Amino acid sequence: MPRTSTKTESPVRRLTSDYRLEDQVGFLLRRAYQRASSNLVDRIGSYDLTAPQYATLARLYERGALSQNLLGRLVAMEPANIRDVVLRLKKRRLVATRRDPTDKRLILIDLTAAGTALVEQLIPIEIACTATTLVPLKANERKQLYDLLGRLADG
Amino acid sequence: MPRTSTKTESPVRRLTSDYRLEDQVGFLLRRAYQRASSNLVDRIGSYDLTAPQYATLARLYERGALSQNLLGRLVAMEPANIRDVVLRLKKRRLVATRRDPTDKRLILIDLTAAGTALVEQLIPIEIACTATTLVPLKANERKQLYDLLGRLADG
DNA sequence: CCGATATCGTTATGATCATAACGATATCGA
DNA sequence: TCGATATCGTTATGATCATAACGATATCGG
């Protein structure tokens, strides 16, 4: 086995630098999200679902039929993005679409029976997954994290 | 102006549900990262740089020449991903590549003069951007957040 | 020395993401 | 009523992302 190789590293140290990438909150958030997302895919990947797809199904389960655009806002996806997710879910018959009779602009999305059954299977898995992700933190720390992240996300 | 439209919402309430998507840490992390990333692009977008591209340049600035693979690990990108980022940066002459003479597998990546100059311009902007993202939090809360996120990310 | 194993970079596939521009529909205000 | 404005969904473009499979190179153990 070749050594794990910090081999090519040269400790050049340019000019300034009390700067560290690790101190940038965006970088930390990206890595934490990678971890959480990876945990979820490990558990629900066998269902061939991604985290955004799961979020979409879960939201429909919570709220019932929604227009494609509103659904997108509720799962934090742009119109062009939620469109593709809905198309994939529709192709697998997990959601169904119909026109809103009173507003011809809208496409209403809803879970199918199969979609509903799948979400009900997945919800406990996702809850367990969240627990796994939070293992490094104590109970009071988790509550603190939720508070802080919520305030960051909402601006 | 059409109303902001919770129009199509139907409060169907399926089976169970003390379940809420907002309680899943992955969903919160994704939204917080969206916010941070958006803040960064607002500020450095005029340089035609994305957050991952900036992270890559910043890491090279901190560490000097690195193999493509190690560089990828240090910015939390898969080999296939860091490859594309490096290609784009190389096309813009912000980084240069050369073969490692002692290990023919490696491609060494380093900043060009132009790349170095650009990073030195961008670092203060990024620091300001992090400050903006953290505005909702008080100083002690920021410290707490860093601690919690770090432990989540490192598993 | 040499085969087993590990690492590096590449290729291919598929799913997110954000942005801008566009036509169709809906609503508002004068 | 009717034009200005807003929303909805679509299309196109480009950048992330993760995964699996692959050849080339490097290292280790016997």
Side-chain angles (χ1 to χ4, degrees):
Chain A
M1 162 183 22
R3 59 191 161 124
T4 124
S5 169
T6 33
K7 173 188 263 184
T8 60
E9 238 170 306
S10 74
V12 173
R13 285 293 164 220
R14 316 272 169 136
L15 305 193
T16 68
S17 268
D18 33 338
Y19 172 86
R20 287 173 304 169
L21 191 53
E22 280 70 16
D23 291 339
Q24 307 313 309
V25 72
F27 186 69
L28 273 173
L29 285 168
R30 175 161 153 274
R31 291 207 303 131
Y33 175 63
Q34 281 178 344
R35 167 83 52 163
S37 182
S38 159
N39 281 344
L40 184 59
V41 171
D42 285 348
R43 287 181 184 250
I44 71 169
S46 53
Y47 294 88
D48 266 311
L49 273 190
T50 66
Q53 287 169 10
Y54 167 77
T56 302
L57 296 179
R59 202 54 108 181
L60 289 170
Y61 184 76
E62 287 173 12
R63 304 280 293 258
L66 296 169
S67 78
Q68 182 171 286
N69 196 276
L70 176 56
L71 174 59
R73 287 200 300 277
L74 292 176
V75 292
M77 288 190 225
E78 298 298 321
N81 185 20
I82 187 61
R83 173 184 174 272
D84 290 342
V85 172
V86 166
L87 281 181
R88 289 184 203 102
L89 296 175
K90 186 180 178 181
K91 188 176 302 179
R92 294 171 60 184
R93 313 280 185 177
L94 297 174
V95 303
T97 64
R98 63 181 195 279
R99 284 283 169 183
D100 185 314
T102 75
D103 186 337
K104 291 187 216 165
R105 295 173 305 174
L106 307 188
I107 297 183
L108 298 181
I109 324 282
D110 203 357
L111 291 175
T112 61
T116 304
L118 181 59
V119 183
E120 289 176 347
Q121 250 187 305
L122 259 34
I123 283 180
I125 299 179
E126 157 81 315
I127 290 175
C129 172
T130 289
T132 297
T133 303
L134 292 175
V135 156
L137 308 186
K138 289 177 291 189
N140 65 316
E141 293 174 328
R142 297 177 192 187
K143 197 169 294 185
Q144 178 84 4
L145 178 71
Y146 274 60
D147 172 51
L148 298 177
L149 283 181
R151 284 156 63 196
L152 272 198
D154 294 332
Chain B
M1 160 182 24
R3 59 192 162 124
T4 124
S5 169
T6 33
K7 173 186 265 181
T8 60
E9 239 170 304
S10 74
V12 174
R13 283 293 164 224
R14 318 269 168 138
L15 304 193
T16 70
S17 270
D18 33 334
Y19 172 85
R20 286 173 305 170
L21 190 53
E22 280 71 14
D23 290 341
Q24 307 312 310
V25 72
F27 186 69
L28 273 173
L29 285 168
R30 175 161 153 275
R31 291 206 305 131
Y33 175 64
Q34 281 178 346
R35 166 84 53 165
S37 182
S38 160
N39 281 344
L40 184 59
V41 170
D42 285 348
R43 287 181 185 251
I44 72 171
S46 55
Y47 294 88
D48 267 312
L49 274 190
T50 64
Q53 286 169 11
Y54 167 77
T56 302
L57 295 179
R59 201 56 107 182
L60 289 170
Y61 184 75
E62 285 174 13
R63 304 279 293 255
L66 296 169
S67 78
Q68 182 171 287
N69 196 277
L70 176 57
L71 174 59
R73 287 200 299 276
L74 292 176
V75 293
M77 288 190 224
E78 298 298 320
N81 185 20
I82 186 62
R83 174 185 174 272
D84 290 342
V85 172
V86 165
L87 281 181
R88 289 184 203 103
L89 296 175
K90 186 179 178 183
K91 188 176 303 180
R92 295 172 59 185
R93 313 281 186 178
L94 297 174
V95 304
T97 64
R98 63 183 195 278
R99 284 281 169 186
D100 185 315
T102 75
D103 186 338
K104 291 187 216 167
R105 296 173 305 173
L106 307 187
I107 296 182
L108 298 181
I109 324 281
D110 203 358
L111 291 176
T112 61
T116 303
L118 182 59
V119 184
E120 289 177 346
Q121 251 186 305
L122 260 33
I123 283 180
I125 299 180
E126 157 81 316
I127 290 175
C129 171
T130 290
T132 297
T133 303
L134 292 176
V135 156
L137 308 186
K138 288 177 293 190
N140 65 317
E141 293 174 328
R142 298 177 192 186
K143 198 169 292 184
Q144 178 83 5
L145 178 71
Y146 273 59
D147 172 52
L148 298 177
L149 283 181
R151 284 156 63 197
L152 273 198
D154 294 332

